[in-house]
Structures are given as C-alpha cells and as structure tokens.
Amino acid sequence: MSARKHNALPKAQTLIEALPWLTRHRGKTVVVKFGGNAMVDEELKAAFAQDVVFLHHAGLKPVVVHGGGPQINAALDRHGLVSEFRAGLRVTTPEAMDVVRMVLAGQVQRELVGLLNQHGPLAVGLTGEDARTITAIKHQPRIEGELVDIGRVGEITAIDTGAIEALLADGRIPVVSSIARSEDDHHVYNVNADTAAAALAAALGAETLMVLTDVEGLYEDWPNSDEVISRLTATQLEKLLPELSSGMVPKMEGCLHAVRNGVTTARVIDGRVPHSILLEIFTDEGIGTMVVPDAARPTQGGCTA
Ligand SMILES: Nc1ncnc2c1ncn2[C@@H]1O[C@H](COP(=O)(O)OP(=O)(O)O)[C@@H](O)[C@H]1O
Ligand SMILES: CC(=O)N[C@@H](CCC(=O)OP(=O)(O)O)C(=O)O
C-alpha cells in the first residue's frame, strides 16, 4: 500500500504544479485551430482530442476551429479539379466550393467531433453558416496592385457568437468549419481557417488563440534556419508581416488581429508533437511562438503564464 502511494507521488506533484495555472484559467475561453497539415496522423489526432477534452474537464472553454487544406487538395484531385493558391488563398470556383464544403463540414469536422465524443457527449460541429456565426463578403486580394478575382473566397464581415456561447454554456465543445455565408449574394464562401479562428477568438473575448501547425513555430529566417521566435509583441510582428510567406501569412495576421482585439496571447505551436496543447500549457518556456499585445508585461509560455 505505502509503495503504491509512493509511486503515485510524481503524478500528484505534476497535478499540483498545474494548480495555479488551472486556477487562473478556469472559465476562460481558448480557441484552438487545428491545421490540416497537423491532422494527417491518427495518433496525433487522438492526442489532440484528449488534450481538448482535458482542457474542458479542467474548467476551460475550448472552441475548436479546424482547417483541412491537404484533405481539400486530395478531394479536388479526385474530382479532377485543380488546386491553385493566390496570395495564400485557394482559388475557389463554385464547383470547388461544393467540394470544400463537403470536405470541411462533412469529413474533417465529423471526424474531429467523433474523436472528441469518444470521451463523452461533448462536441457539436457547426460551420460559419449555422446561426450566422460567420458572415462574409467576396474577398478580392490585391496582387501587384491589381484586384484579383479568386472566386468564392470570403472576407469576414461579422461574427455572431450566440450559437457558440450557447454550446459553451451547455458544457459542449464547439467544432467550427471555416465556411461563411454572405448576406449580399447569399453564396457560401471559403474562409481561411486561421483567419476564421482569429476572428472567432477576438469576438468571443477568448483568453488564448492556439494555432497548431506543421512547423515548430514562426522561424526567424525561414527556410534558411530553424531558429524559432519564442515571443514577440504585436508591433514586432506587424513589422515582420511583409517578410512572411505562404501559410504563415494568414496565421500570423490572425495572431496579430487576435491580440489587437482583446485576446491575451496567440500561440503558434507544433501540432506534430503529441499532446502539444498540454505541453504548451504545462511547460514553463512554452514550445512555439507566442504573440502578446504591446502593453503586455513579460510572460512565460507555460504554467506560470
Ligand atoms: N517564417 C516561417 N516560419 C515557419 N513556417 C513558415 C514560415 N514561412 C512560411 N512557412 C510555411 O508555412 C507552413 C504552415 O502553414 P500551412 O501550410 O498553411 O499550415 P496549416 O495547414 O497548419 O494551416 C509551414 O509548413 C511552412 O512551410
Ligand atoms: C480560402 C482558403 O484558402 N481556405 C482554405 C480553408 C481550409 C484551411 O484553411 O485549411 P488549413 O488550415 O489546413 O490550411 C482552403 O481552401 O484550403
């Protein structure tokens, strides 16, 4: 009996170490964006679901926003449709939009809901169309000074947090697909999932936006070095934005939007590491890149933050 007690002591210590963090973050909303590239491994997906359920049971309010870029590429391929990206966004024809919606809402979201619900009747999936959670207009990026038509790609104009808040109040974990409806032309639009997660985090008054991806964080000099920037302020990030490329652009723009609109920290972390969410929370230094508002006092990534 006493030997058993002794063996369990490190476990008790780990839990106790987490207590100040849990006390501080209880009741707080955390928006977790799960990127399509971090979603390719079955074990990682199961570990992700465990982490999210852990946060829920620890008294936080996790909201999951998911991507699905690689899964959309594969489905478009199967339909004989080409995948083209401009300004980091998928050129989305009306036919491609049907596929995007089918993959995000009918495949990726369903799978995450299923994994989360292995732990109890917790997850409820919705898209930005449901209860007008995300409203958008047609997005026309400016490329080399010219406005370019990239089809059914949406720019968010409004967020209605009502449905998500009702689910959170009911003890559920909302799982949101980044699809929006327009109030002007009533079309359905494809929204980048990082952008949707950031907009939702800001509108929900979330404490944290956590973006899981397939790199360790924001590399200082990508692709030449793997030196990760561990912490930067909104102004520092703003200066860096013009130098960023591809998938990092909407991610870091999203982080900037979030911390400029009331979110306390936005973190980009490596979704290829099992239990990356819990590692980020429960290790002092954190494991990825943390963006903080300008006025923030220095904080650490982990339990003490
Ligand atoms: N400075 C940078 N630091 C890290 N990754 C970068 C950087 N610039 C561009 N990238 C690219 O951004 C990718 C992450 O974005 P993306 O592929 O859209 O991921 P996700 O599916 O998780 O949203 C990385 O795999 C990397 O190829
Ligand atoms: C407009 C636009 O580009 N939408 C994205 C939506 C999915 C997404 O963002 O997925 P990841 O997070 O895995 O990249 C797309 O069609 O790929």
mmCIF file of all heavy atoms in Angstrom, residues 22-74:
data_model
loop_
_atom_site.group_PDB
_atom_site.id
_atom_site.type_symbol
_atom_site.label_atom_id
_atom_site.label_comp_id
_atom_site.label_asym_id
_atom_site.label_seq_id
_atom_site.Cartn_x
_atom_site.Cartn_y
_atom_site.Cartn_z
ATOM 1 N N LEU A 22 -4.341 26.261 -13.519
ATOM 2 C CA LEU A 22 -5.754 25.888 -13.656
ATOM 3 C C LEU A 22 -6.648 26.896 -12.940
ATOM 4 O O LEU A 22 -7.699 27.279 -13.453
ATOM 5 C CB LEU A 22 -5.984 24.478 -13.085
ATOM 6 C CG LEU A 22 -5.344 23.344 -13.892
ATOM 7 C CD1 LEU A 22 -5.429 22.024 -13.143
ATOM 8 C CD2 LEU A 22 -6.002 23.219 -15.260
ATOM 9 N N THR A 23 -6.203 27.369 -11.783
ATOM 10 C CA THR A 23 -6.994 28.346 -11.030
ATOM 11 C C THR A 23 -7.162 29.626 -11.847
ATOM 12 O O THR A 23 -8.245 30.191 -11.935
ATOM 13 C CB THR A 23 -6.292 28.669 -9.686
ATOM 14 O OG1 THR A 23 -6.063 27.449 -9.007
ATOM 15 C CG2 THR A 23 -7.128 29.596 -8.820
ATOM 16 N N ARG A 24 -6.042 30.056 -12.458
ATOM 17 C CA ARG A 24 -6.090 31.310 -13.224
ATOM 18 C C ARG A 24 -6.920 31.202 -14.500
ATOM 19 O O ARG A 24 -7.515 32.158 -14.946
ATOM 20 C CB ARG A 24 -4.665 31.729 -13.595
ATOM 21 C CG ARG A 24 -4.241 33.005 -12.910
ATOM 22 C CD ARG A 24 -2.942 33.585 -13.404
ATOM 23 N NE ARG A 24 -1.947 32.643 -13.816
ATOM 24 C CZ ARG A 24 -1.073 32.046 -13.012
ATOM 25 N NH1 ARG A 24 -1.124 32.276 -11.712
ATOM 26 N NH2 ARG A 24 -0.167 31.227 -13.484
ATOM 27 N N HIS A 25 -6.904 30.032 -15.124
ATOM 28 C CA HIS A 25 -7.514 29.917 -16.445
ATOM 29 C C HIS A 25 -8.911 29.299 -16.444
ATOM 30 O O HIS A 25 -9.544 29.225 -17.484
ATOM 31 C CB HIS A 25 -6.584 29.129 -17.378
ATOM 32 C CG HIS A 25 -5.295 29.852 -17.616
ATOM 33 N ND1 HIS A 25 -5.094 30.647 -18.711
ATOM 34 C CD2 HIS A 25 -4.170 29.940 -16.870
ATOM 35 C CE1 HIS A 25 -3.875 31.184 -18.634
ATOM 36 N NE2 HIS A 25 -3.308 30.772 -17.525
ATOM 37 N N ARG A 26 -9.369 28.890 -15.281
ATOM 38 C CA ARG A 26 -10.700 28.296 -15.157
ATOM 39 C C ARG A 26 -11.754 29.247 -15.716
ATOM 40 O O ARG A 26 -11.749 30.435 -15.421
ATOM 41 C CB ARG A 26 -10.971 28.067 -13.675
ATOM 42 C CG ARG A 26 -11.946 27.012 -13.371
ATOM 43 C CD ARG A 26 -12.001 26.836 -11.868
ATOM 44 N NE ARG A 26 -13.372 26.514 -11.481
ATOM 45 C CZ ARG A 26 -13.898 25.305 -11.651
ATOM 46 N NH1 ARG A 26 -13.184 24.346 -12.157
ATOM 47 N NH2 ARG A 26 -15.143 25.079 -11.307
ATOM 48 N N GLY A 27 -12.628 28.719 -16.550
ATOM 49 C CA GLY A 27 -13.716 29.534 -17.100
ATOM 50 C C GLY A 27 -13.324 30.350 -18.315
ATOM 51 O O GLY A 27 -14.167 30.990 -18.933
ATOM 52 N N LYS A 28 -12.030 30.338 -18.665
ATOM 53 C CA LYS A 28 -11.568 31.149 -19.798
ATOM 54 C C LYS A 28 -11.762 30.403 -21.124
ATOM 55 O O LYS A 28 -11.650 29.178 -21.174
ATOM 56 C CB LYS A 28 -10.085 31.501 -19.638
ATOM 57 C CG LYS A 28 -9.765 32.264 -18.358
ATOM 58 C CD LYS A 28 -10.037 33.749 -18.531
ATOM 59 C CE LYS A 28 -10.043 34.530 -17.232
ATOM 60 N NZ LYS A 28 -8.792 34.571 -16.526
ATOM 61 N N THR A 29 -12.017 31.158 -22.175
ATOM 62 C CA THR A 29 -12.210 30.562 -23.499
ATOM 63 C C THR A 29 -10.868 30.450 -24.222
ATOM 64 O O THR A 29 -10.076 31.391 -24.227
ATOM 65 C CB THR A 29 -13.184 31.439 -24.322
ATOM 66 O OG1 THR A 29 -14.416 31.529 -23.592
ATOM 67 C CG2 THR A 29 -13.458 30.845 -25.694
ATOM 68 N N VAL A 30 -10.635 29.291 -24.802
ATOM 69 C CA VAL A 30 -9.417 29.055 -25.579
ATOM 70 C C VAL A 30 -9.845 28.600 -26.972
ATOM 71 O O VAL A 30 -10.552 27.600 -27.099
ATOM 72 C CB VAL A 30 -8.561 27.919 -24.957
ATOM 73 C CG1 VAL A 30 -7.279 27.701 -25.760
ATOM 74 C CG2 VAL A 30 -8.235 28.209 -23.517
ATOM 75 N N VAL A 31 -9.461 29.348 -27.991
ATOM 76 C CA VAL A 31 -9.771 28.918 -29.360
ATOM 77 C C VAL A 31 -8.561 28.156 -29.882
ATOM 78 O O VAL A 31 -7.436 28.662 -29.873
ATOM 79 C CB VAL A 31 -10.110 30.120 -30.270
ATOM 80 C CG1 VAL A 31 -10.275 29.671 -31.722
ATOM 81 C CG2 VAL A 31 -11.383 30.799 -29.775
ATOM 82 N N VAL A 32 -8.786 26.911 -30.279
ATOM 83 C CA VAL A 32 -7.697 26.062 -30.765
ATOM 84 C C VAL A 32 -7.913 25.804 -32.250
ATOM 85 O O VAL A 32 -8.943 25.270 -32.650
ATOM 86 C CB VAL A 32 -7.665 24.704 -30.027
ATOM 87 C CG1 VAL A 32 -6.435 23.910 -30.461
ATOM 88 C CG2 VAL A 32 -7.671 24.892 -28.519
ATOM 89 N N LYS A 33 -6.951 26.235 -33.065
ATOM 90 C CA LYS A 33 -7.054 25.972 -34.506
ATOM 91 C C LYS A 33 -6.184 24.759 -34.836
ATOM 92 O O LYS A 33 -4.986 24.750 -34.552
ATOM 93 C CB LYS A 33 -6.633 27.213 -35.294
ATOM 94 C CG LYS A 33 -6.956 27.099 -36.779
ATOM 95 C CD LYS A 33 -5.862 26.475 -37.561
ATOM 96 C CE LYS A 33 -6.185 26.207 -38.999
ATOM 97 N NZ LYS A 33 -4.970 26.096 -39.817
ATOM 98 N N PHE A 34 -6.840 23.765 -35.420
ATOM 99 C CA PHE A 34 -6.140 22.529 -35.774
ATOM 100 C C PHE A 34 -5.938 22.540 -37.283
ATOM 101 O O PHE A 34 -6.910 22.448 -38.039
ATOM 102 C CB PHE A 34 -7.004 21.347 -35.328
ATOM 103 C CG PHE A 34 -6.271 20.036 -35.238
ATOM 104 C CD1 PHE A 34 -4.906 19.969 -34.978
ATOM 105 C CD2 PHE A 34 -6.970 18.846 -35.382
ATOM 106 C CE1 PHE A 34 -4.266 18.747 -34.865
ATOM 107 C CE2 PHE A 34 -6.327 17.619 -35.271
ATOM 108 C CZ PHE A 34 -4.973 17.566 -35.024
ATOM 109 N N GLY A 35 -4.685 22.678 -37.723
ATOM 110 C CA GLY A 35 -4.399 22.805 -39.156
ATOM 111 C C GLY A 35 -4.434 21.472 -39.867
ATOM 112 O O GLY A 35 -4.146 20.433 -39.281
ATOM 113 N N GLY A 36 -4.816 21.527 -41.129
ATOM 114 C CA GLY A 36 -4.930 20.314 -41.936
ATOM 115 C C GLY A 36 -3.631 19.546 -42.034
ATOM 116 O O GLY A 36 -3.625 18.314 -42.094
ATOM 117 N N ASN A 37 -2.505 20.275 -42.002
ATOM 118 C CA ASN A 37 -1.209 19.603 -42.115
ATOM 119 C C ASN A 37 -0.817 18.885 -40.828
ATOM 120 O O ASN A 37 -0.026 17.951 -40.865
ATOM 121 C CB ASN A 37 -0.116 20.599 -42.510
ATOM 122 C CG ASN A 37 -0.167 20.872 -43.997
ATOM 123 O OD1 ASN A 37 -0.095 19.959 -44.815
ATOM 124 N ND2 ASN A 37 -0.336 22.132 -44.361
ATOM 125 N N ALA A 38 -1.359 19.345 -39.705
ATOM 126 C CA ALA A 38 -1.064 18.683 -38.430
ATOM 127 C C ALA A 38 -2.043 17.535 -38.190
ATOM 128 O O ALA A 38 -1.965 16.834 -37.195
ATOM 129 C CB ALA A 38 -1.155 19.693 -37.287
ATOM 130 N N MET A 39 -2.940 17.338 -39.133
ATOM 131 C CA MET A 39 -4.069 16.429 -38.930
ATOM 132 C C MET A 39 -3.929 15.126 -39.687
ATOM 133 O O MET A 39 -4.908 14.432 -39.897
ATOM 134 C CB MET A 39 -5.307 17.133 -39.507
ATOM 135 C CG MET A 39 -6.424 17.375 -38.557
ATOM 136 S SD MET A 39 -7.741 18.073 -39.541
ATOM 137 C CE MET A 39 -7.694 19.709 -38.987
ATOM 138 N N VAL A 40 -2.709 14.834 -40.138
ATOM 139 C CA VAL A 40 -2.571 13.702 -41.049
ATOM 140 C C VAL A 40 -2.283 12.375 -40.329
ATOM 141 O O VAL A 40 -2.378 11.321 -40.934
ATOM 142 C CB VAL A 40 -1.478 13.978 -42.121
ATOM 143 C CG1 VAL A 40 -1.967 15.004 -43.130
ATOM 144 C CG2 VAL A 40 -0.191 14.468 -41.471
ATOM 145 N N ASP A 41 -1.989 12.430 -39.033
ATOM 146 C CA ASP A 41 -1.599 11.233 -38.310
ATOM 147 C C ASP A 41 -2.693 10.846 -37.298
ATOM 148 O O ASP A 41 -3.155 11.695 -36.527
ATOM 149 C CB ASP A 41 -0.268 11.547 -37.591
ATOM 150 C CG ASP A 41 0.269 10.389 -36.803
ATOM 151 O OD1 ASP A 41 -0.313 10.063 -35.744
ATOM 152 O OD2 ASP A 41 1.278 9.817 -37.230
ATOM 153 N N GLU A 42 -3.084 9.583 -37.317
ATOM 154 C CA GLU A 42 -4.209 9.137 -36.471
ATOM 155 C C GLU A 42 -3.918 9.324 -34.971
ATOM 156 O O GLU A 42 -4.771 9.778 -34.217
ATOM 157 C CB GLU A 42 -4.534 7.660 -36.736
ATOM 158 C CG GLU A 42 -5.010 7.373 -38.155
ATOM 159 C CD GLU A 42 -6.174 8.248 -38.586
ATOM 160 O OE1 GLU A 42 -7.127 8.409 -37.805
ATOM 161 O OE2 GLU A 42 -6.115 8.803 -39.710
ATOM 162 N N GLU A 43 -2.685 8.968 -34.567
ATOM 163 C CA GLU A 43 -2.354 9.084 -33.141
ATOM 164 C C GLU A 43 -2.345 10.539 -32.678
ATOM 165 O O GLU A 43 -2.789 10.873 -31.580
ATOM 166 C CB GLU A 43 -0.975 8.472 -32.869
ATOM 167 C CG GLU A 43 -1.058 6.989 -32.580
ATOM 168 C CD GLU A 43 0.301 6.354 -32.408
ATOM 169 O OE1 GLU A 43 1.163 6.937 -31.726
ATOM 170 O OE2 GLU A 43 0.500 5.271 -32.997
ATOM 171 N N LEU A 44 -1.845 11.405 -33.583
ATOM 172 C CA LEU A 44 -1.815 12.836 -33.235
ATOM 173 C C LEU A 44 -3.221 13.386 -33.078
ATOM 174 O O LEU A 44 -3.500 14.189 -32.185
ATOM 175 C CB LEU A 44 -1.093 13.631 -34.327
ATOM 176 C CG LEU A 44 0.427 13.563 -34.341
ATOM 177 C CD1 LEU A 44 0.960 14.351 -35.531
ATOM 178 C CD2 LEU A 44 0.992 14.120 -33.037
ATOM 179 N N LYS A 45 -4.109 12.935 -33.960
ATOM 180 C CA LYS A 45 -5.494 13.405 -33.881
ATOM 181 C C LYS A 45 -6.140 12.956 -32.572
ATOM 182 O O LYS A 45 -6.844 13.722 -31.911
ATOM 183 C CB LYS A 45 -6.296 12.866 -35.069
ATOM 184 C CG LYS A 45 -6.120 13.719 -36.311
ATOM 185 C CD LYS A 45 -7.067 13.309 -37.401
ATOM 186 C CE LYS A 45 -6.563 12.117 -38.150
ATOM 187 N NZ LYS A 45 -7.234 11.864 -39.412
ATOM 188 N N ALA A 46 -5.868 11.699 -32.188
ATOM 189 C CA ALA A 46 -6.440 11.184 -30.933
ATOM 190 C C ALA A 46 -5.871 11.950 -29.736
ATOM 191 O O ALA A 46 -6.602 12.296 -28.796
ATOM 192 C CB ALA A 46 -6.150 9.690 -30.806
ATOM 193 N N ALA A 47 -4.555 12.261 -29.781
ATOM 194 C CA ALA A 47 -3.919 13.007 -28.685
ATOM 195 C C ALA A 47 -4.474 14.429 -28.622
ATOM 196 O O ALA A 47 -4.693 14.982 -27.536
ATOM 197 C CB ALA A 47 -2.405 13.032 -28.869
ATOM 198 N N PHE A 48 -4.717 15.011 -29.801
ATOM 199 C CA PHE A 48 -5.318 16.349 -29.862
ATOM 200 C C PHE A 48 -6.682 16.330 -29.149
ATOM 201 O O PHE A 48 -6.972 17.198 -28.316
ATOM 202 C CB PHE A 48 -5.480 16.779 -31.329
ATOM 203 C CG PHE A 48 -6.340 17.987 -31.521
ATOM 204 C CD1 PHE A 48 -5.811 19.262 -31.360
ATOM 205 C CD2 PHE A 48 -7.689 17.861 -31.852
ATOM 206 C CE1 PHE A 48 -6.616 20.393 -31.517
ATOM 207 C CE2 PHE A 48 -8.494 18.982 -32.013
ATOM 208 C CZ PHE A 48 -7.952 20.241 -31.848
ATOM 209 N N ALA A 49 -7.490 15.329 -29.478
ATOM 210 C CA ALA A 49 -8.829 15.242 -28.868
ATOM 211 C C ALA A 49 -8.710 15.087 -27.350
ATOM 212 O O ALA A 49 -9.452 15.741 -26.594
ATOM 213 C CB ALA A 49 -9.603 14.071 -29.469
ATOM 214 N N GLN A 50 -7.763 14.283 -26.900
ATOM 215 C CA GLN A 50 -7.573 14.115 -25.442
ATOM 216 C C GLN A 50 -7.209 15.442 -24.785
ATOM 217 O O GLN A 50 -7.736 15.786 -23.728
ATOM 218 C CB GLN A 50 -6.448 13.108 -25.168
ATOM 219 C CG GLN A 50 -6.855 11.668 -25.420
ATOM 220 C CD GLN A 50 -5.679 10.723 -25.256
ATOM 221 O OE1 GLN A 50 -4.534 11.084 -25.537
ATOM 222 N NE2 GLN A 50 -5.943 9.511 -24.825
ATOM 223 N N ASP A 51 -6.308 16.197 -25.413
ATOM 224 C CA ASP A 51 -5.890 17.485 -24.843
ATOM 225 C C ASP A 51 -7.076 18.447 -24.729
ATOM 226 O O ASP A 51 -7.241 19.143 -23.718
ATOM 227 C CB ASP A 51 -4.814 18.152 -25.718
ATOM 228 C CG ASP A 51 -3.454 17.483 -25.567
ATOM 229 O OD1 ASP A 51 -3.384 16.413 -24.937
ATOM 230 O OD2 ASP A 51 -2.470 18.038 -26.099
ATOM 231 N N VAL A 52 -7.877 18.496 -25.785
ATOM 232 C CA VAL A 52 -9.020 19.424 -25.785
ATOM 233 C C VAL A 52 -10.015 19.018 -24.700
ATOM 234 O O VAL A 52 -10.522 19.865 -23.942
ATOM 235 C CB VAL A 52 -9.678 19.475 -27.187
ATOM 236 C CG1 VAL A 52 -10.989 20.251 -27.141
ATOM 237 C CG2 VAL A 52 -8.726 20.100 -28.200
ATOM 238 N N VAL A 53 -10.251 17.715 -24.579
ATOM 239 C CA VAL A 53 -11.184 17.234 -23.544
ATOM 240 C C VAL A 53 -10.596 17.507 -22.155
ATOM 241 O O VAL A 53 -11.315 17.887 -21.220
ATOM 242 C CB VAL A 53 -11.498 15.733 -23.751
ATOM 243 C CG1 VAL A 53 -12.263 15.164 -22.568
ATOM 244 C CG2 VAL A 53 -12.291 15.542 -25.042
ATOM 245 N N PHE A 54 -9.279 17.382 -22.031
ATOM 246 C CA PHE A 54 -8.626 17.692 -20.748
ATOM 247 C C PHE A 54 -8.891 19.155 -20.374
ATOM 248 O O PHE A 54 -9.280 19.460 -19.246
ATOM 249 C CB PHE A 54 -7.117 17.429 -20.832
ATOM 250 C CG PHE A 54 -6.417 17.618 -19.524
ATOM 251 C CD1 PHE A 54 -6.210 16.549 -18.666
ATOM 252 C CD2 PHE A 54 -5.993 18.883 -19.121
ATOM 253 C CE1 PHE A 54 -5.590 16.741 -17.438
ATOM 254 C CE2 PHE A 54 -5.376 19.079 -17.904
ATOM 255 C CZ PHE A 54 -5.169 18.001 -17.056
ATOM 256 N N LEU A 55 -8.681 20.059 -21.329
ATOM 257 C CA LEU A 55 -8.924 21.487 -21.050
ATOM 258 C C LEU A 55 -10.366 21.689 -20.594
ATOM 259 O O LEU A 55 -10.638 22.429 -19.649
ATOM 260 C CB LEU A 55 -8.679 22.334 -22.306
ATOM 261 C CG LEU A 55 -7.247 22.461 -22.828
ATOM 262 C CD1 LEU A 55 -7.210 23.415 -24.015
ATOM 263 C CD2 LEU A 55 -6.308 22.961 -21.732
ATOM 264 N N HIS A 56 -11.275 21.015 -21.292
ATOM 265 C CA HIS A 56 -12.699 21.131 -20.956
ATOM 266 C C HIS A 56 -12.944 20.677 -19.517
ATOM 267 O O HIS A 56 -13.570 21.382 -18.728
ATOM 268 C CB HIS A 56 -13.519 20.294 -21.947
ATOM 269 C CG HIS A 56 -14.945 20.143 -21.560
ATOM 270 N ND1 HIS A 56 -15.891 21.099 -21.855
ATOM 271 C CD2 HIS A 56 -15.585 19.161 -20.879
ATOM 272 C CE1 HIS A 56 -17.057 20.704 -21.376
ATOM 273 N NE2 HIS A 56 -16.905 19.532 -20.785
ATOM 274 N N HIS A 57 -12.423 19.493 -19.179
ATOM 275 C CA HIS A 57 -12.650 18.965 -17.831
ATOM 276 C C HIS A 57 -11.915 19.784 -16.764
ATOM 277 O O HIS A 57 -12.282 19.758 -15.591
ATOM 278 C CB HIS A 57 -12.233 17.497 -17.751
ATOM 279 C CG HIS A 57 -13.216 16.583 -18.454
ATOM 280 N ND1 HIS A 57 -14.571 16.728 -18.358
ATOM 281 C CD2 HIS A 57 -13.018 15.528 -19.279
ATOM 282 C CE1 HIS A 57 -15.184 15.804 -19.072
ATOM 283 N NE2 HIS A 57 -14.253 15.063 -19.661
ATOM 284 N N ALA A 58 -10.867 20.504 -17.188
ATOM 285 C CA ALA A 58 -10.125 21.347 -16.236
ATOM 286 C C ALA A 58 -10.843 22.682 -16.016
ATOM 287 O O ALA A 58 -10.342 23.543 -15.310
ATOM 288 C CB ALA A 58 -8.712 21.577 -16.735
ATOM 289 N N GLY A 59 -11.998 22.867 -16.675
ATOM 290 C CA GLY A 59 -12.793 24.066 -16.417
ATOM 291 C C GLY A 59 -12.592 25.184 -17.420
ATOM 292 O O GLY A 59 -13.155 26.268 -17.268
ATOM 293 N N LEU A 60 -11.779 24.941 -18.464
ATOM 294 C CA LEU A 60 -11.643 25.950 -19.522
ATOM 295 C C LEU A 60 -12.750 25.721 -20.545
ATOM 296 O O LEU A 60 -13.465 24.720 -20.488
ATOM 297 C CB LEU A 60 -10.268 25.842 -20.195
ATOM 298 C CG LEU A 60 -9.113 26.388 -19.353
ATOM 299 C CD1 LEU A 60 -8.573 25.320 -18.417
ATOM 300 C CD2 LEU A 60 -8.000 26.904 -20.245
ATOM 301 N N LYS A 61 -12.868 26.656 -21.488
ATOM 302 C CA LYS A 61 -13.900 26.508 -22.523
ATOM 303 C C LYS A 61 -13.217 26.453 -23.885
ATOM 304 O O LYS A 61 -13.051 27.499 -24.538
ATOM 305 C CB LYS A 61 -14.861 27.691 -22.467
ATOM 306 C CG LYS A 61 -15.672 27.766 -21.192
ATOM 307 C CD LYS A 61 -16.524 29.020 -21.240
ATOM 308 C CE LYS A 61 -17.359 29.158 -20.003
ATOM 309 N NZ LYS A 61 -17.936 30.505 -19.923
ATOM 310 N N PRO A 62 -12.801 25.260 -24.313
ATOM 311 C CA PRO A 62 -12.159 25.189 -25.622
ATOM 312 C C PRO A 62 -13.168 25.266 -26.767
ATOM 313 O O PRO A 62 -14.273 24.724 -26.679
ATOM 314 C CB PRO A 62 -11.456 23.822 -25.607
ATOM 315 C CG PRO A 62 -12.147 23.025 -24.571
ATOM 316 C CD PRO A 62 -12.794 23.975 -23.597
ATOM 317 N N VAL A 63 -12.778 25.997 -27.810
ATOM 318 C CA VAL A 63 -13.539 26.060 -29.062
ATOM 319 C C VAL A 63 -12.557 25.618 -30.148
ATOM 320 O O VAL A 63 -11.465 26.179 -30.251
ATOM 321 C CB VAL A 63 -14.013 27.505 -29.363
ATOM 322 C CG1 VAL A 63 -14.695 27.592 -30.729
ATOM 323 C CG2 VAL A 63 -14.945 28.004 -28.258
ATOM 324 N N VAL A 64 -12.932 24.606 -30.924
ATOM 325 C CA VAL A 64 -12.028 24.107 -31.957
ATOM 326 C C VAL A 64 -12.434 24.698 -33.306
ATOM 327 O O VAL A 64 -13.615 24.700 -33.662
ATOM 328 C CB VAL A 64 -12.077 22.555 -32.039
ATOM 329 C CG1 VAL A 64 -11.207 22.044 -33.182
ATOM 330 C CG2 VAL A 64 -11.640 21.942 -30.704
ATOM 331 N N VAL A 65 -11.461 25.240 -34.034
ATOM 332 C CA VAL A 65 -11.676 25.654 -35.425
ATOM 333 C C VAL A 65 -10.704 24.809 -36.240
ATOM 334 O O VAL A 65 -9.523 24.733 -35.888
ATOM 335 C CB VAL A 65 -11.383 27.155 -35.637
ATOM 336 C CG1 VAL A 65 -11.594 27.553 -37.094
ATOM 337 C CG2 VAL A 65 -12.254 28.013 -34.720
ATOM 338 N N HIS A 66 -11.196 24.150 -37.263
ATOM 339 C CA HIS A 66 -10.282 23.251 -37.978
ATOM 340 C C HIS A 66 -10.057 23.710 -39.411
ATOM 341 O O HIS A 66 -10.898 24.372 -40.018
ATOM 342 C CB HIS A 66 -10.837 21.821 -37.961
ATOM 343 C CG HIS A 66 -12.083 21.670 -38.768
ATOM 344 N ND1 HIS A 66 -12.063 21.442 -40.127
ATOM 345 C CD2 HIS A 66 -13.383 21.758 -38.415
ATOM 346 C CE1 HIS A 66 -13.305 21.385 -40.557
ATOM 347 N NE2 HIS A 66 -14.117 21.586 -39.550
ATOM 348 N N GLY A 67 -8.890 23.316 -39.932
ATOM 349 C CA GLY A 67 -8.580 23.519 -41.345
ATOM 350 C C GLY A 67 -8.824 22.233 -42.105
ATOM 351 O O GLY A 67 -9.644 21.413 -41.686
ATOM 352 N N GLY A 68 -8.085 22.066 -43.176
ATOM 353 C CA GLY A 68 -8.260 20.854 -43.988
ATOM 354 C C GLY A 68 -7.675 21.019 -45.377
ATOM 355 O O GLY A 68 -8.148 20.367 -46.322
ATOM 356 N N GLY A 69 -6.671 21.902 -45.493
ATOM 357 C CA GLY A 69 -6.060 22.157 -46.801
ATOM 358 C C GLY A 69 -5.669 20.884 -47.550
ATOM 359 O O GLY A 69 -6.119 20.663 -48.682
ATOM 360 N N PRO A 70 -4.858 19.993 -46.940
ATOM 361 C CA PRO A 70 -4.438 18.777 -47.658
ATOM 362 C C PRO A 70 -5.615 17.871 -48.017
ATOM 363 O O PRO A 70 -5.630 17.257 -49.084
ATOM 364 C CB PRO A 70 -3.505 18.068 -46.658
ATOM 365 C CG PRO A 70 -3.113 19.099 -45.680
ATOM 366 C CD PRO A 70 -4.213 20.101 -45.621
ATOM 367 N N GLN A 71 -6.602 17.803 -47.124
ATOM 368 C CA GLN A 71 -7.769 16.959 -47.374
ATOM 369 C C GLN A 71 -8.594 17.531 -48.536
ATOM 370 O O GLN A 71 -9.129 16.780 -49.359
ATOM 371 C CB GLN A 71 -8.631 16.866 -46.102
ATOM 372 C CG GLN A 71 -7.954 16.167 -44.913
ATOM 373 C CD GLN A 71 -6.969 17.038 -44.119
ATOM 374 O OE1 GLN A 71 -6.660 18.178 -44.475
ATOM 375 N NE2 GLN A 71 -6.464 16.504 -43.023
ATOM 376 N N ILE A 72 -8.658 18.883 -48.640
ATOM 377 C CA ILE A 72 -9.375 19.513 -49.760
ATOM 378 C C ILE A 72 -8.602 19.260 -51.058
ATOM 379 O O ILE A 72 -9.202 18.925 -52.092
ATOM 380 C CB ILE A 72 -9.553 21.037 -49.519
ATOM 381 C CG1 ILE A 72 -10.440 21.290 -48.300
ATOM 382 C CG2 ILE A 72 -10.143 21.718 -50.753
ATOM 383 C CD1 ILE A 72 -10.461 22.741 -47.823
ATOM 384 N N ASN A 73 -7.279 19.386 -50.990
ATOM 385 C CA ASN A 73 -6.458 19.119 -52.191
ATOM 386 C C ASN A 73 -6.754 17.727 -52.739
ATOM 387 O O ASN A 73 -6.958 17.553 -53.948
ATOM 388 C CB ASN A 73 -4.959 19.175 -51.860
ATOM 389 C CG ASN A 73 -4.498 20.581 -51.527
ATOM 390 O OD1 ASN A 73 -5.186 21.554 -51.813
ATOM 391 N ND2 ASN A 73 -3.332 20.689 -50.921
ATOM 392 N N ALA A 74 -6.767 16.734 -51.827
ATOM 393 C CA ALA A 74 -6.972 15.343 -52.254
ATOM 394 C C ALA A 74 -8.357 15.176 -52.886
ATOM 395 O O ALA A 74 -8.501 14.515 -53.921
ATOM 396 C CB ALA A 74 -6.799 14.411 -51.057
#
